[in-house]
Amino acid sequence: MPVIKDFTVITTPNATMTTFAAPSLGSEELSAWKVVMAEGASGPEHVIDREQVWLPVSGSLTVTVAVGEESTVVGEGQSLVLPAGVSRRISAPTGPVEAVVCMRADATVTANGESRPLPWAQ
């Protein structure tokens, strides 16, 4: 039973992800990480082939699915289940955001025509 003390931190132009659990840290099936986004940050439009659960810890996220179609705001005390295979964009238009995300560890993301595993979920 692994107790994880040293987390992996990956920073992109849109957010910083801190891995809490992943195969590289001893988990067999699941990944969990913290996302921190600055006010005004927006990730790229992308599709993930596994279901994700988003749990905002502070601030509010705007999640646009089938980009341009439907936007949902989710904040502290709420959770959002994003189905697999749905185009989405995550943004923090009204202030900084911190959220925890959980999903199966074997997910693949497709963005800008390129598919790859999520490095913070590995």
Side-chain angles (χ1 to χ4, degrees), residues 12-36:
T12 71
N14 311 308
T16 297
M17 279 60 66
T18 302
T19 305
F20 294 143
S24 62
L25 298 174
S27 174
E28 290 186 28
E29 298 177 5
L30 300 175
S31 292
W33 63 92
K34 176 175 65 175
V35 176
V36 176

Side-chain angles (χ1 to χ4, degrees), residues 25-58:
L25 298 174
S27 174
E28 290 186 28
E29 298 177 5
L30 300 175
S31 292
W33 63 92
K34 176 175 65 175
V35 176
V36 176
M37 296 178 80
E39 180 175 359
S42 181
E45 178 181 346
H46 62 285
V47 175
I48 295 182
D49 65 352
R50 299 285 183 228
E51 178 179 78
Q52 286 185 323
V53 177
W54 283 74
L55 305 117
V57 177
S58 64

Side-chain angles (χ1 to χ4, degrees), residues 66-87:
V67 173
E69 297 290 320
E70 176 187 349
S71 290
T72 301
V73 176
V74 59
E76 295 175 52
Q78 300 177 312
S79 63
L80 175 70
V81 178
L82 280 168
V86 173
S87 177

